[in-house]
Amino acid sequence: MLVLATLIGCSKSSGNDSHRIKSDTDSVAYIVGMNIGLNLMRMDSTINVEAVCRGIRDMVREKNILTLEEAETFFLGYINYTLPEKALALEEQLLEDIAASNRKYARTRSGITYAVEELGDQNRISSAVRDSLYMRYRILTTDEKVIYSSYERGDTVRTTYHNLEKGLQESIKLIGEGGKIIAWIPSKLAYGAEGNKEYNISANQTLCFEIELVKLDKYSEWQRR
């Protein structure tokens, strides 16, 4: 418990005694409350604190209006069904707003919202899972924070069509070799509920990919060599 350890470590050196709680046990209880508050803020900054306090009071007084079984059933339903549905609705609204904000954006049936910045060679579009792709790209969040950039690293990333996320596969097919695209990809077509630890991408995160398909090695051409 980081806050608890920090407060204990600083308690002797603090010069401000005006708000100190006189009882040691009440001080510990207050610190426990601080830690609960910190964890709640990390989970959901919009949570109703008064409702949380009521739940704590009712549980301590054994006057809770829900049984533990009822509480567990409701909570699991909320986490597994209600919350994801709300997130999907917000994501869909976001993508619709992006499409409406600029006439250059279009949408695919799957929900990818995209703008082709430069149309590549339409005779050289990836069509096989073993095709090799040489790409430069950036990944951005909805608030335009850059999560990853091969440009900053000076890299051209080599991968296969098969190894791309579904949203990237679909986006790449909208351009040919030499093409560039900006693609807002729904979470289900990007990194989904698992996220991506390497890029520090959280679960169910909507992302923007700026992609340049530098080179395409088609698997069908390898076989003829």
Side-chain angles (χ1 to χ4, degrees):
M1 298 172 75
L2 180 59
V3 171
L4 179 59
T6 302
L7 287 172
I8 291 173
C10 297
S11 61
K12 293 181 180 179
S13 60
S14 174
N16 183 8
D17 296 335
S18 59
H19 298 295
R20 228 177 241 188
I21 302 172
K22 293 182 180 180
S23 165
D24 288 345
T25 54
D26 284 352
S27 294
V28 170
Y30 183 79
I31 293 169
V32 170
M34 289 180 66
N35 277 276
I36 292 173
L38 177 64
N39 290 326
L40 288 174
M41 289 294 290
R42 287 172 174 170
M43 284 174 49
D44 184 357
S45 61
T46 65
I47 200 162
N48 185 337
V49 176
E50 295 305 319
V52 173
C53 292
R54 179 185 175 186
I56 293 173
R57 285 194 299 268
D58 287 355
M59 194 67 193
V60 170
R61 297 169 181 172
E62 298 184 350
K63 294 182 178 180
N64 40 298
I65 59 176
L66 295 173
T67 66
L68 294 178
E69 291 77 13
E70 289 171 338
E72 181 180 10
T73 299
F74 180 87
F75 185 77
L76 290 175
Y78 180 79
I79 293 296
N80 293 323
Y81 300 103
T82 306
L83 202 58
E85 287 178 1
K86 287 183 177 180
L88 286 174
L90 289 172
E91 180 178 65
E92 177 61 21
Q93 186 61 57
L94 168 69
L95 295 173
E96 286 183 359
D97 290 344
I98 290 171
S101 68
N102 195 318
R103 293 180 63 182
K104 72 178 183 180
Y105 281 106
R107 299 198 71 190
T108 66
R109 289 184 178 181
S110 64
I112 294 174
T113 302
Y114 70 95
V116 175
E117 296 287 280
E118 189 173 328
L119 193 62
D121 187 345
Q122 295 301 284
N123 293 316
R124 297 192 61 75
I125 294 177
S126 184
S127 58
V129 293
R130 294 189 181 182
D131 285 351
S132 285
L133 309 171
Y134 296 80
M135 307 184 333
R136 299 189 186 107
Y137 65 96
R138 296 202 310 163
I139 307 175
L140 299 90
T141 62
T142 53
D143 58 358
E144 299 185 351
K145 176 184 176 183
V146 178
I147 296 176
Y148 172 84
S149 174
S150 65
Y151 294 97
E152 291 180 3
R153 295 173 177 236
D155 292 342
T156 298
V157 179
R158 180 183 181 276
T159 187
T160 61
Y161 179 84
H162 174 71
N163 286 331
L164 294 176
E165 304 297 328
K166 290 182 178 179
L168 288 175
Q169 290 178 350
E170 187 174 347
S171 299
I172 286 293
K173 283 194 170 185
L174 296 171
I175 56 174
E177 184 179 77
K180 297 179 181 180
I181 189 171
I182 299 174
W184 288 90
I185 300 180
S187 57
K188 66 180 180 181
L189 299 179
Y191 297 101
E194 295 182 359
N196 185 295
K197 291 184 179 179
E198 179 183 356
Y199 295 144
N200 197 27
I201 294 171
S202 59
N204 302 314
Q205 191 167 0
T206 311
L207 298 167
C208 177
F209 288 80
E210 297 176 353
I211 308 165
E212 177 183 357
L213 181 55
V214 178
K215 182 181 176 183
L216 170 64
D217 277 347
K218 296 178 72 66
Y219 180 69
S220 59
E221 295 173 350
W222 300 355
Q223 294 177 309
R224 295 197 294 266
R225 293 173 186 170

PDB file of all heavy atoms in Angstrom, residues 58-77:
ATOM      1  N   ASP A  58     -23.215   0.593   6.180  1.00  0.00           N
ATOM      2  CA  ASP A  58     -24.251  -0.442   6.304  1.00  0.00           C
ATOM      3  C   ASP A  58     -23.631  -1.808   6.584  1.00  0.00           C
ATOM      4  O   ASP A  58     -24.172  -2.596   7.369  1.00  0.00           O
ATOM      5  CB  ASP A  58     -25.091  -0.505   5.023  1.00  0.00           C
ATOM      6  CG  ASP A  58     -26.036   0.685   4.903  1.00  0.00           C
ATOM      7  OD1 ASP A  58     -26.101   1.499   5.842  1.00  0.00           O
ATOM      8  OD2 ASP A  58     -26.712   0.797   3.844  1.00  0.00           O
ATOM      9  N   MET A  59     -22.493  -2.088   5.951  1.00  0.00           N
ATOM     10  CA  MET A  59     -21.856  -3.381   6.147  1.00  0.00           C
ATOM     11  C   MET A  59     -21.323  -3.510   7.570  1.00  0.00           C
ATOM     12  O   MET A  59     -21.499  -4.548   8.218  1.00  0.00           O
ATOM     13  CB  MET A  59     -20.704  -3.546   5.142  1.00  0.00           C
ATOM     14  CG  MET A  59     -20.196  -4.969   5.026  1.00  0.00           C
ATOM     15  SD  MET A  59     -21.461  -6.037   4.289  1.00  0.00           S
ATOM     16  CE  MET A  59     -20.747  -7.641   4.655  1.00  0.00           C
ATOM     17  N   VAL A  60     -20.696  -2.437   8.077  1.00  0.00           N
ATOM     18  CA  VAL A  60     -20.159  -2.457   9.435  1.00  0.00           C
ATOM     19  C   VAL A  60     -21.276  -2.593  10.472  1.00  0.00           C
ATOM     20  O   VAL A  60     -21.144  -3.296  11.476  1.00  0.00           O
ATOM     21  CB  VAL A  60     -19.326  -1.186   9.695  1.00  0.00           C
ATOM     22  CG1 VAL A  60     -18.954  -1.067  11.175  1.00  0.00           C
ATOM     23  CG2 VAL A  60     -18.064  -1.189   8.834  1.00  0.00           C
ATOM     24  N   ARG A  61     -22.432  -1.947  10.188  1.00  0.00           N
ATOM     25  CA  ARG A  61     -23.563  -1.988  11.108  1.00  0.00           C
ATOM     26  C   ARG A  61     -24.464  -3.195  10.885  1.00  0.00           C
ATOM     27  O   ARG A  61     -25.471  -3.363  11.573  1.00  0.00           O
ATOM     28  CB  ARG A  61     -24.395  -0.710  10.959  1.00  0.00           C
ATOM     29  CG  ARG A  61     -23.644   0.561  11.339  1.00  0.00           C
ATOM     30  CD  ARG A  61     -24.409   1.801  10.912  1.00  0.00           C
ATOM     31  NE  ARG A  61     -23.702   3.031  11.249  1.00  0.00           N
ATOM     32  CZ  ARG A  61     -24.072   4.247  10.850  1.00  0.00           C
ATOM     33  NH1 ARG A  61     -25.169   4.382  10.090  1.00  0.00           N
ATOM     34  NH2 ARG A  61     -23.372   5.308  11.183  1.00  0.00           N
ATOM     35  N   GLU A  62     -24.088  -4.018   9.901  1.00  0.00           N
ATOM     36  CA  GLU A  62     -24.865  -5.211   9.536  1.00  0.00           C
ATOM     37  C   GLU A  62     -26.285  -4.848   9.126  1.00  0.00           C
ATOM     38  O   GLU A  62     -27.257  -5.517   9.480  1.00  0.00           O
ATOM     39  CB  GLU A  62     -24.871  -6.222  10.688  1.00  0.00           C
ATOM     40  CG  GLU A  62     -23.486  -6.741  11.032  1.00  0.00           C
ATOM     41  CD  GLU A  62     -23.507  -7.804  12.109  1.00  0.00           C
ATOM     42  OE1 GLU A  62     -24.577  -8.016  12.727  1.00  0.00           O
ATOM     43  OE2 GLU A  62     -22.464  -8.438  12.338  1.00  0.00           O
ATOM     44  N   LYS A  63     -26.423  -3.750   8.398  1.00  0.00           N
ATOM     45  CA  LYS A  63     -27.711  -3.299   7.894  1.00  0.00           C
ATOM     46  C   LYS A  63     -27.691  -3.160   6.370  1.00  0.00           C
ATOM     47  O   LYS A  63     -28.414  -2.344   5.795  1.00  0.00           O
ATOM     48  CB  LYS A  63     -28.094  -1.965   8.535  1.00  0.00           C
ATOM     49  CG  LYS A  63     -28.356  -2.049  10.025  1.00  0.00           C
ATOM     50  CD  LYS A  63     -28.787  -0.697  10.582  1.00  0.00           C
ATOM     51  CE  LYS A  63     -29.096  -0.790  12.076  1.00  0.00           C
ATOM     52  NZ  LYS A  63     -29.525   0.522  12.627  1.00  0.00           N
ATOM     53  N   ASN A  64     -26.838  -3.947   5.719  1.00  0.00           N
ATOM     54  CA  ASN A  64     -26.703  -3.867   4.256  1.00  0.00           C
ATOM     55  C   ASN A  64     -27.993  -4.290   3.568  1.00  0.00           C
ATOM     56  O   ASN A  64     -28.666  -5.246   3.989  1.00  0.00           O
ATOM     57  CB  ASN A  64     -25.528  -4.715   3.765  1.00  0.00           C
ATOM     58  CG  ASN A  64     -25.390  -6.037   4.486  1.00  0.00           C
ATOM     59  OD1 ASN A  64     -25.177  -6.043   5.701  1.00  0.00           O
ATOM     60  ND2 ASN A  64     -25.501  -7.122   3.749  1.00  0.00           N
ATOM     61  N   ILE A  65     -28.365  -3.562   2.517  1.00  0.00           N
ATOM     62  CA  ILE A  65     -29.635  -3.809   1.820  1.00  0.00           C
ATOM     63  C   ILE A  65     -29.524  -4.938   0.788  1.00  0.00           C
ATOM     64  O   ILE A  65     -30.532  -5.387   0.258  1.00  0.00           O
ATOM     65  CB  ILE A  65     -30.141  -2.531   1.128  1.00  0.00           C
ATOM     66  CG1 ILE A  65     -29.108  -2.027   0.118  1.00  0.00           C
ATOM     67  CG2 ILE A  65     -30.461  -1.460   2.161  1.00  0.00           C
ATOM     68  CD1 ILE A  65     -29.575  -0.822  -0.676  1.00  0.00           C
ATOM     69  N   LEU A  66     -28.296  -5.373   0.497  1.00  0.00           N
ATOM     70  CA  LEU A  66     -28.070  -6.507  -0.404  1.00  0.00           C
ATOM     71  C   LEU A  66     -27.323  -7.597   0.349  1.00  0.00           C
ATOM     72  O   LEU A  66     -26.455  -7.308   1.172  1.00  0.00           O
ATOM     73  CB  LEU A  66     -27.232  -6.086  -1.620  1.00  0.00           C
ATOM     74  CG  LEU A  66     -27.819  -5.074  -2.593  1.00  0.00           C
ATOM     75  CD1 LEU A  66     -26.763  -4.679  -3.620  1.00  0.00           C
ATOM     76  CD2 LEU A  66     -29.048  -5.639  -3.299  1.00  0.00           C
ATOM     77  N   THR A  67     -27.655  -8.850   0.054  1.00  0.00           N
ATOM     78  CA  THR A  67     -26.857  -9.941   0.599  1.00  0.00           C
ATOM     79  C   THR A  67     -25.551 -10.012  -0.181  1.00  0.00           C
ATOM     80  O   THR A  67     -25.424  -9.430  -1.272  1.00  0.00           O
ATOM     81  CB  THR A  67     -27.595 -11.283   0.470  1.00  0.00           C
ATOM     82  OG1 THR A  67     -27.735 -11.614  -0.930  1.00  0.00           O
ATOM     83  CG2 THR A  67     -28.971 -11.220   1.120  1.00  0.00           C
ATOM     84  N   LEU A  68     -24.572 -10.714   0.346  1.00  0.00           N
ATOM     85  CA  LEU A  68     -23.296 -10.857  -0.361  1.00  0.00           C
ATOM     86  C   LEU A  68     -23.485 -11.557  -1.701  1.00  0.00           C
ATOM     87  O   LEU A  68     -22.830 -11.218  -2.693  1.00  0.00           O
ATOM     88  CB  LEU A  68     -22.301 -11.628   0.509  1.00  0.00           C
ATOM     89  CG  LEU A  68     -21.842 -10.922   1.794  1.00  0.00           C
ATOM     90  CD1 LEU A  68     -20.893 -11.821   2.585  1.00  0.00           C
ATOM     91  CD2 LEU A  68     -21.158  -9.594   1.461  1.00  0.00           C
ATOM     92  N   GLU A  69     -24.398 -12.526  -1.737  1.00  0.00           N
ATOM     93  CA  GLU A  69     -24.668 -13.246  -2.982  1.00  0.00           C
ATOM     94  C   GLU A  69     -25.303 -12.317  -4.021  1.00  0.00           C
ATOM     95  O   GLU A  69     -24.936 -12.346  -5.204  1.00  0.00           O
ATOM     96  CB  GLU A  69     -25.587 -14.450  -2.716  1.00  0.00           C
ATOM     97  CG  GLU A  69     -24.947 -15.579  -1.914  1.00  0.00           C
ATOM     98  CD  GLU A  69     -24.855 -15.263  -0.428  1.00  0.00           C
ATOM     99  OE1 GLU A  69     -25.495 -14.282   0.027  1.00  0.00           O
ATOM    100  OE2 GLU A  69     -24.126 -15.984   0.274  1.00  0.00           O
ATOM    101  N   GLU A  70     -26.257 -11.502  -3.589  1.00  0.00           N
ATOM    102  CA  GLU A  70     -26.905 -10.547  -4.488  1.00  0.00           C
ATOM    103  C   GLU A  70     -25.901  -9.515  -5.001  1.00  0.00           C
ATOM    104  O   GLU A  70     -25.906  -9.153  -6.194  1.00  0.00           O
ATOM    105  CB  GLU A  70     -28.063  -9.847  -3.770  1.00  0.00           C
ATOM    106  CG  GLU A  70     -29.260 -10.737  -3.508  1.00  0.00           C
ATOM    107  CD  GLU A  70     -30.290 -10.070  -2.614  1.00  0.00           C
ATOM    108  OE1 GLU A  70     -29.923  -9.125  -1.869  1.00  0.00           O
ATOM    109  OE2 GLU A  70     -31.469 -10.486  -2.649  1.00  0.00           O
ATOM    110  N   ALA A  71     -25.039  -9.058  -4.105  1.00  0.00           N
ATOM    111  CA  ALA A  71     -24.027  -8.067  -4.487  1.00  0.00           C
ATOM    112  C   ALA A  71     -23.064  -8.649  -5.518  1.00  0.00           C
ATOM    113  O   ALA A  71     -22.719  -7.985  -6.505  1.00  0.00           O
ATOM    114  CB  ALA A  71     -23.258  -7.603  -3.254  1.00  0.00           C
ATOM    115  N   GLU A  72     -22.637  -9.881  -5.317  1.00  0.00           N
ATOM    116  CA  GLU A  72     -21.704 -10.524  -6.250  1.00  0.00           C
ATOM    117  C   GLU A  72     -22.347 -10.710  -7.619  1.00  0.00           C
ATOM    118  O   GLU A  72     -21.724 -10.440  -8.652  1.00  0.00           O
ATOM    119  CB  GLU A  72     -21.253 -11.880  -5.697  1.00  0.00           C
ATOM    120  CG  GLU A  72     -20.251 -12.589  -6.601  1.00  0.00           C
ATOM    121  CD  GLU A  72     -19.813 -13.934  -6.051  1.00  0.00           C
ATOM    122  OE1 GLU A  72     -20.409 -14.410  -5.063  1.00  0.00           O
ATOM    123  OE2 GLU A  72     -18.872 -14.512  -6.618  1.00  0.00           O
ATOM    124  N   THR A  73     -23.598 -11.162  -7.641  1.00  0.00           N
ATOM    125  CA  THR A  73     -24.303 -11.373  -8.905  1.00  0.00           C
ATOM    126  C   THR A  73     -24.451 -10.067  -9.682  1.00  0.00           C
ATOM    127  O   THR A  73     -24.181 -10.008 -10.893  1.00  0.00           O
ATOM    128  CB  THR A  73     -25.699 -11.966  -8.643  1.00  0.00           C
ATOM    129  OG1 THR A  73     -25.556 -13.234  -7.984  1.00  0.00           O
ATOM    130  CG2 THR A  73     -26.458 -12.168  -9.948  1.00  0.00           C
ATOM    131  N   PHE A  74     -24.849  -9.007  -8.987  1.00  0.00           N
ATOM    132  CA  PHE A  74     -25.022  -7.707  -9.646  1.00  0.00           C
ATOM    133  C   PHE A  74     -23.688  -7.176 -10.163  1.00  0.00           C
ATOM    134  O   PHE A  74     -23.594  -6.690 -11.291  1.00  0.00           O
ATOM    135  CB  PHE A  74     -25.643  -6.705  -8.682  1.00  0.00           C
ATOM    136  CG  PHE A  74     -25.854  -5.354  -9.305  1.00  0.00           C
ATOM    137  CD1 PHE A  74     -27.016  -5.071 -10.000  1.00  0.00           C
ATOM    138  CD2 PHE A  74     -24.866  -4.373  -9.228  1.00  0.00           C
ATOM    139  CE1 PHE A  74     -27.207  -3.833 -10.601  1.00  0.00           C
ATOM    140  CE2 PHE A  74     -25.045  -3.127  -9.826  1.00  0.00           C
ATOM    141  CZ  PHE A  74     -26.221  -2.861 -10.519  1.00  0.00           C
ATOM    142  N   PHE A  75     -22.647  -7.262  -9.331  1.00  0.00           N
ATOM    143  CA  PHE A  75     -21.340  -6.721  -9.700  1.00  0.00           C
ATOM    144  C   PHE A  75     -20.764  -7.438 -10.914  1.00  0.00           C
ATOM    145  O   PHE A  75     -20.251  -6.792 -11.845  1.00  0.00           O
ATOM    146  CB  PHE A  75     -20.374  -6.847  -8.515  1.00  0.00           C
ATOM    147  CG  PHE A  75     -19.044  -6.206  -8.759  1.00  0.00           C
ATOM    148  CD1 PHE A  75     -18.898  -4.827  -8.688  1.00  0.00           C
ATOM    149  CD2 PHE A  75     -17.935  -6.971  -9.071  1.00  0.00           C
ATOM    150  CE1 PHE A  75     -17.668  -4.223  -8.924  1.00  0.00           C
ATOM    151  CE2 PHE A  75     -16.703  -6.378  -9.318  1.00  0.00           C
ATOM    152  CZ  PHE A  75     -16.566  -4.998  -9.231  1.00  0.00           C
ATOM    153  N   LEU A  76     -20.850  -8.757 -10.939  1.00  0.00           N
ATOM    154  CA  LEU A  76     -20.324  -9.521 -12.075  1.00  0.00           C
ATOM    155  C   LEU A  76     -21.095  -9.196 -13.353  1.00  0.00           C
ATOM    156  O   LEU A  76     -20.506  -9.102 -14.439  1.00  0.00           O
ATOM    157  CB  LEU A  76     -20.390 -11.022 -11.786  1.00  0.00           C
ATOM    158  CG  LEU A  76     -19.430 -11.542 -10.715  1.00  0.00           C
ATOM    159  CD1 LEU A  76     -19.672 -13.020 -10.439  1.00  0.00           C
ATOM    160  CD2 LEU A  76     -17.977 -11.304 -11.136  1.00  0.00           C
ATOM    161  N   GLY A  77     -22.429  -9.022 -13.223  1.00  0.00           N
ATOM    162  CA  GLY A  77     -23.231  -8.646 -14.384  1.00  0.00           C
ATOM    163  C   GLY A  77     -22.850  -7.281 -14.907  1.00  0.00           C
ATOM    164  O   GLY A  77     -22.780  -7.047 -16.116  1.00  0.00           O
TER     165      GLY A  77
END
